Amino acid sequence: MEDAFARSVSEVLEFFGVDPSKGLADYQVAEHARLYGRNVLPQEGSTPFWKLVLKQFDDLLVKILIAAAAVSFFLALINGETGLTAFLEPSVILMILAANAAVGVITETNAEKALEELRAYQADVATVLRNGCFSILPATDLVPGDIVEVSVGCKIPADMRMIEMLTDQLRVDQAILTGESCSVGKELGSTLTTKAVYQDKTNILFSGTVVVAGRARAVVVGVGSNTAMGSIRDSMLTTEDEVTPLKKKLDEFGTFLAKVIAGICVLVWVVNIGHFRDPAHGGFLRGAIHYFKIAVALAVAAIPEGLPAVVTTCLALGTKRMARMNAIVRSLPSVETLGCTTVICSDKTGTLTTNMMSVSKICVLHSVHHGPSTSEYSVSGTTFAPDGFIFSSTGMQLEFPAQLPCLLHIAMCSALCNESVLQYNPDKGNYEKIGESTEVALRVLAEKVGLPGFDAMPSALNMLSNHERASYCNHYWESQFKKLSVLEFSRDRKMMSVLCSRKQMEIMFSKGAPESIISRCTSILCNDDGSTVPLTANIRDELESRFHSFAGKETLRCLALALKRMPMGRQALSFDDEKDLTFIGLVGMLDPPREEVSNAILSCMIAGIRVIVVTGDNKSTAESLCQKIGAFNHLEDFSGHSYTASEFEELPALQKTLALQRMTLFTRVEPSHKRMLVEALQHQNEVVAMTGDGVNDAPALKKADIGIAMGSGTAVAKSASDMVLADDNFATIVAAVAEGRAIYNNTKQFIRYMISSNIGEVVCIFVAAVLGIPDTLIPVQLLWVNLVTDGLPATAIGFNKQDCDVMKAKPRKVNEAVVSGWLFFRYLVIGAYVGLATIAGFIWWFVYADSGPKLPYVELMNFDTCSTRETNYSCSVFNDRHPSTVAMTVLVVVEMFNALNNLSENQSLLVIPPWSNLWLVGSIVLTMLLHILVLYVGPLSALFSVTPLSWAEWTVVLYISFPVIIIDEILKFFSRNSSGIWLKLRLRRGDILPKREVRDK
C-alpha cells in the first residue's frame, strides 16, 4: 500500500480487511502471503565465475597481446621450432594476463556484499496479533495486514502504519534511514503533505529502525522489497559502478596505442615487401612470414605489458600509506579518483558531527541582589564519553562545578529524571547509549559536573576504569534517592517528572520544554548562595530571552529543569502536582561538530574542492552547523546556497543547474535525493565523493565516483563504499585527497617513463627494418626488457615524494590527458634517442668494434644477399650474438638513466638527486644485476640469445647511453623557462589522448 501515510487508520484497516482487536485469520495470512510475497529481501543471482574471468580480458591492449601471443606460437610451429624458446614468449604474455585477471576477479567477487548485509537490518522476530491471540513469530512470516505490537528496543520488522498508542508517546530512531540526529515522535493522524518524504511520514514505522521510547500497535503495509529498506536495495542494484578518471584515460590511451601499433605494423610489413624474395628467406612466403614476425615483435615492443601490473602496484602502495592515516581503501582505483575530486557531498550526522547529542550550554540565575543576573556556562566534550569540563562565561574552567548550587541540582535532576542508560563497550572501545540521545546527554552532563564534598573529585574519577566511570556519578545519585513514581513525557504537557525520596524527604524532579517548565514555576534557585527566590516577571523575561537565544541563534535543543518539595510520605504523582515548581536551570544541547572539521573544510576550499552538506535534518539546525564549521565561507545570506529537497525539486531546470553550482547545504533529503544529487553533479562534469554512514547513504555511496563510509557506520554503507574512514574523521578525507593527487602525479611519471621506453623500442625495430639491417632485437629480448627492466623502475617511481604544494593546486580536470602536447614531444625526443642509441650500439659492433668484423656499412645493409655473393668474411657473422647483446644492453642502460629523469617532471637532477628516492636507486641496481645474470649465466644467455660482454664493450654502452640525461635536462630547462612556454603554445594542437567533453555515464 503506497499511500498508507495519507489514509486514516480505518481506511488502512479496511483496505487489508483486518479487525484491529483480532488480527488476520489464517486463511487471510495465506492469501496475503500469495498476493504480497514474503518479508525478506530477495537474493540477487550472482555473476557466473566464467563471466567474471572473461570480463577481465575485455580490454583492447589485452586482446592485442593475446593475438600477438597466438601469432607468435603459430609462426613458431610453422617454422618447426621446438623447445623452450618456441613457447617462451606466448607463455610469458599469457602468465601476465592470467595474473592480472586473477586480481580483477577477486575484486569483483567482493563488490556485492552490501546487498547481503542489508539483511542484517531486518528484525528477527515480531509480536503479532492473529486469530485474536498475540504470539511471537519470525519477522519473515509477516504479511501486509498483520497487527504488530512494538515497544522500547524493538527493531521494526516491516513498514507499518500506526493504529494505536499504548503509551503517551512513541519515539523512533530512524537515523540509519534518514540521517536525522534526534529520534522522531510518531502519531496516528494521516499526513496531508504533498510529495511527502520519509521525514514527513510521521505515522509510518520504517523497517530496520528502532523504537527508543513508548509502546504502540501498527498494521503492516509493506514487506520485503516493498519497504523503505527494500527501495534502497533496488536503488543499489540499479547503480552501475562509475569508471574512474585514470581508467578512462588508460582505456583511451589503449585505444589510441592500438591504432598506432596496427598502423606501424602494417607499415613495417609493407615497407619490406621488396625483401620478401631475398634468398636468405628461402622464398616469398617465408620472407612474408619473417617480416610478419618482425611486425609482431613490434606490437610486443609497443605495448607496455607491465603497465596494468605497475598501475596496480602503485595504487596498492598508496593504499598502504593511506591505511596508516586511517583511510582504508576497498577499491584500488578509488585512490587515484580522490586526486581529481571536485565536490565532496558530506553527510552531516555522524560525519561532520559526532552523532552524539551533548550539552554545550547551561543558563542559571546567578543572583537577584542587584537586579536579576544570569550566569551562562559552556561545556566541553563532543561525545558520550564522560570527559569534559565546565567553563564560566569568561572562559575560566570550574575546578569543582558541584559546589555551585544550581549546577549540583542540575546534575541531580539529570541523573534521576532519566530513563536512558550509558555504558562502555570494551569491544568497540567507546561509550554507547540505550534510549533517547537527549537523556543520555543529560547523564553525561551529570558525570562532568561530578559529586560534591570531595576536593580530589576530578582526579579520583579519572582513576576509575572506563566501565565504572561511564555512570559513576549517576549511580551515586540513584543510590542516594529512591524513585517512587514517574509521570512519563506526553506531547500535551511536554515534560516528564519523577518523585524521589531521600532521608524522609520527598522531592519531585521535572524536565521538559522550557516554555512548559517556566510557565509552571513560581520560584527559582540562585547559584550564588543556594537560596530560593520568587520568579518575577523580570526574571521570567530574562530566562525566555536566553532560551530564544539558545534555540534561535545557536539552534540548540533546549530543556528546562525544575524541582519541588513534596509532602512527607507522598508515594505517587499526579498531573496536578506539576505546578508551583522551583526553576533550576536551562540546558542547551546539540549534535556537535567534530573538532577537526573546520580546518578540513578550509583545506578543501584552498584545494579547490567544494563541500556540500547533505542531511535529512531540518534546515535551521543544519545551517547553524554549516556556520560553525565554515562551510558557508562567512556568508550572511544563505539564500541560493541552502535548499531543502522539496525546494530544489520545485525549481525550473535552468535554475536547478545554477543552484547546483552554488549549493552548500541540502536538507530534508531521503536516499533517492542523495543519489539524484550525485547524478546531477556528475552531469555537470564534477567528480563527486560522497560520505556517509547509514543504510540511507548506501545507494549514493555506490553511485558516486568515490564513496567514503565511516568506520563506525553500518556494514551496508561500508560495503557500498570505495573507502572507509577508520577514525570517522572528515579531516582524514583531506589527507587522502593529497595522497590521491600525489599518486596520480607518480602514475603519470611512470606512464611517461614506460611510453618513452616503448617509443624507443618501436623506433629501434622500425629504423632497423627501414635501413634493411639484421634484426636488432628478437621478441624474447624485447619481452625481457619490457617486463623486468621497465617494470621495476616504473614501480619504484611510485615512491616519489609528495610535492609540498600538492593541496594548493586546483583539482585536475577529468578530461586532462595523461600525456599531452609539449610533454608528448619531450618523450618522443627521448624515445627517439633510446631507439637510435640501441641501433647505434648494434651497428657499432659490426663496423667499429675491435672484437667485431669491422664491415663496411654497405655490407651490413646487404646482409641478406651474403650467401649469393663472394665476400671476404663469413656470412655466419650475422648470426653472432654480440651485436644484439650490445643493443639489448644499451636499451637496458639507457632506460635506467631515463628512469632517473622521471624523479620529477620538470625539476633537474641537481635539485632532486637520485638518492631522494632510494627505492628507485635500489630497483636500478637490481635490474642491472638481473641483466648481468642473463648475460653471464650460461643457460640464461642461451635462452635469451645473448653472450657476455667485454669491458671495452661495456664502456661503449655507457658512452652511448648517458646522453639521454643531458637531452632531458635541456628539455626540462625549456619547460621551466619562458622558452618552454613558447614551445608549449606552438605544440598544443590537441592532446595525444582524446578528450571527452561530456562525461561518460
Side-chain angles (χ1 to χ4, degrees), residues 356-375:
M356 297 182 189
M357 193 69 76
S358 62
V359 174
S360 62
K361 289 285 178 74
I362 301 171
C363 176
V364 297
L365 180 68
H366 177 68
S367 170
V368 291
H369 295 314
H370 304 288
S373 64
T374 55
S375 292

Side-chain angles (χ1 to χ4, degrees), residues 3 80 177 202 289 395 443 496 519 550 586 680 716 875 890 917 991:
D3 61 344
L177 187 68
T202 52
I289 290 172
R443 286 220 180 271
M496 169 193 178
S519 66
F550 280 10
L586 181 71
V716 183
C875 290
V890 167
N917 186 344
D991 294 324

Side-chain angles (χ1 to χ4, degrees), residues 325-381:
M325 298 185 294
N326 291 310
I328 300 160
V329 176
R330 298 185 66 256
S331 166
L332 276 184
S334 64
V335 176
E336 176 274 330
T337 310
L338 273 170
C340 57
T341 298
T342 57
V343 178
I344 298 175
C345 294
S346 177
D347 187 41
K348 178 184 80 74
T349 308
T351 307
L352 297 173
T353 68
T354 62
N355 196 20
M356 297 182 189
M357 193 69 76
S358 62
V359 174
S360 62
K361 289 285 178 74
I362 301 171
C363 176
V364 297
L365 180 68
H366 177 68
S367 170
V368 291
H369 295 314
H370 304 288
S373 64
T374 55
S375 292
E376 195 172 294
Y377 298 96
S378 57
V379 185
S380 67

Side-chain angles (χ1 to χ4, degrees), residues 137 244 268 382 691:
L137 297 176
T244 68
V268 167
T382 56
T691 74

Side-chain angles (χ1 to χ4, degrees), residues 220-380:
V220 176
V221 294
V223 294
S225 297
N226 296 317
T227 61
M229 208 64 74
S231 67
I232 290 175
R233 170 192 167 276
D234 293 340
S235 180
M236 288 171 69
L237 281 175
T238 57
T239 301
E240 293 182 6
D241 290 335
E242 289 291 316
V243 179
T244 68
L246 180 61
K247 180 72 167 67
K248 279 185 184 177
K249 288 295 138 197
L250 291 179
D251 287 347
E252 290 170 17
F253 172 66
T255 305
F256 168 77
L257 195 58
K259 292 173 183 175
V260 172
I261 290 166
I264 293 175
C265 289
V266 171
L267 186 63
V268 167
W269 200 63
V270 170
V271 163
N272 284 286
I273 286 178
H275 295 285
F276 285 6
R277 296 185 184 278
D278 289 348
H281 302 314
F284 183 86
L285 183 61
R286 285 192 172 273
I289 290 172
H290 172 78
Y291 285 104
F292 189 63
K293 282 184 75 175
I294 290 176
V296 171
L298 194 64
V300 172
I303 296 173
E305 294 92 339
L307 184 59
V310 172
V311 170
T312 302
T313 306
C314 187
L315 294 177
L317 292 172
T319 64
K320 283 194 173 183
R321 286 196 292 268
M322 291 168 82
R324 289 196 288 270
M325 298 185 294
N326 291 310
I328 300 160
V329 176
R330 298 185 66 256
S331 166
L332 276 184
S334 64
V335 176
E336 176 274 330
T337 310
L338 273 170
C340 57
T341 298
T342 57
V343 178
I344 298 175
C345 294
S346 177
D347 187 41
K348 178 184 80 74
T349 308
T351 307
L352 297 173
T353 68
T354 62
N355 196 20
M356 297 182 189
M357 193 69 76
S358 62
V359 174
S360 62
K361 289 285 178 74
I362 301 171
C363 176
V364 297
L365 180 68
H366 177 68
S367 170
V368 291
H369 295 314
H370 304 288
S373 64
T374 55
S375 292
E376 195 172 294
Y377 298 96
S378 57
V379 185
S380 67

Side-chain angles (χ1 to χ4, degrees), residues 2 39-42 44 114-115 118-119 121-122 158-159 176-178 196-198 201 204 206-208 222-239 670-673 675 695-700 702 716:
E2 296 291 331
N39 187 30
V40 291
L41 293 177
E44 202 65 24
L115 297 174
L118 269 172
R119 298 171 189 273
Y121 290 89
Q122 291 180 294
D159 279 10
I176 65 162
L177 187 68
T178 63
V197 296
Y198 291 144
K201 300 174 184 178
I204 299 290
F206 295 107
S207 173
V223 294
S225 297
N226 296 317
T227 61
M229 208 64 74
S231 67
I232 290 175
R233 170 192 167 276
D234 293 340
S235 180
M236 288 171 69
L237 281 175
T238 57
T239 301
E670 56 183 39
S672 60
H673 293 130
R675 188 176 169 197
V695 175
N696 60 316
D697 300 318
K702 197 171 182 192
V716 183

Side-chain angles (χ1 to χ4, degrees), residues 178 243 319 465 547 566 642 682 818:
T178 63
V243 179
T319 64
S465 68
F547 163 52
M566 302 296 288
S642 173
Q682 288 174 337
V818 178

